């Protein structure tokens, strides 16, 4: 997957619309188009990485998780939330731009399907 044809890169460039809940220079968070929970936000680095296997920088990865924490706080997910990073075919990844799902607003059972 290259960044030109990537749907999340298009959201970053505002070429397709999304309901943005947070944005700064390096990250954007927006509502999932097919939510599976009352809160279902995707937090993504603006820089394109196909998935978790392909992000090299420890600093960038740390910043992503810190951003997830910040977004969860801003969304008032004080009762807890589920974070998911799907990677590759067996991970069920469908959009090949690294993203963290943040699910909240209901109880999430374990293990998932
Ligand atoms: P994955 O299965 O790759 O972890 O998750 C991709 C997620 O992106 C899915 O939950 C899917 O609903 C969401 N998604 C796919 N296309 C779009 C889109 O164009 N806009 C938004 N907001 N979400 C999308
Ligand atoms: Zn991308």
């Amino acid at each position: 997957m290259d960044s030109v044809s990537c749907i999340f890169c298009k959201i970053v460039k505002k070429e397709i619309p999304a309901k943005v809940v947070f944005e700064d220079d390096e990250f954007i968070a927006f509502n999932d188009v097919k939510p599976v929970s009352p809160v279902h936000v995707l937090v993504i680095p603006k820089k394109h990485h196909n998935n978790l296997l392909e992000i090299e920088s420890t600093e960038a990865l740390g910043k992503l998780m810190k951003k997830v924490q910040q977004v969860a706080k801003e969304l008032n997910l004080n009762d807890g939330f589920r974070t998911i990073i799907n990677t590759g075919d067996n991970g069920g990844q469908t959009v090949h731009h690294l993203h963290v799902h943040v699910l909240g607003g209901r109880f999430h059972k374990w293990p998932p399907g």
Side-chain angles (χ1 to χ4, degrees):
M1 168 62 70
D2 62 77
S3 57
V4 177
S5 51
C6 170
I7 196 153
F8 286 178
C9 284
K10 290 191 167 81
I11 288 175
V12 169
K13 290 182 275 183
K14 307 282 158 69
E15 290 173 5
I16 63 166
K19 180 80 178 58
V20 174
V21 299
F22 174 86
E23 182 168 12
D24 64 15
D25 287 350
E26 294 177 281
F27 299 92
I28 186 166
F30 52 90
N31 287 340
D32 196 292
V33 78
K34 275 175 64 179
V36 298
S37 299
V39 175
H40 188 168
V41 167
L42 304 172
V43 182
I44 72 168
K46 288 186 170 178
K47 182 171 161 44
H48 181 93
H49 309 276
N50 284 332
N51 59 42
L52 187 56
L53 291 171
E54 298 200 4
I55 181 169
E56 302 284 347
S57 159
T58 303
E59 189 193 0
L61 201 47
K63 277 186 176 176
L64 173 61
M65 293 314 292
K66 194 69 191 171
K67 203 54 64 175
V68 167
Q69 181 196 65
Q70 182 185 332
V71 168
K73 285 182 177 177
E74 287 184 11
L75 294 171
N76 292 312
L77 298 176
N78 306 313
D79 294 334
F81 55 92
R82 172 72 49 83
T83 45
I84 301 165
I85 303 176
N86 296 324
T87 302
D89 289 343
N90 277 357
Q93 185 178 10
T94 58
V95 176
H96 299 279
H97 180 129
L98 175 61
H99 53 280
V100 181
H101 296 256
V102 177
L103 306 179
R106 67 169 173 87
F107 178 76
H108 294 83
K109 65 179 164 58
W110 190 263

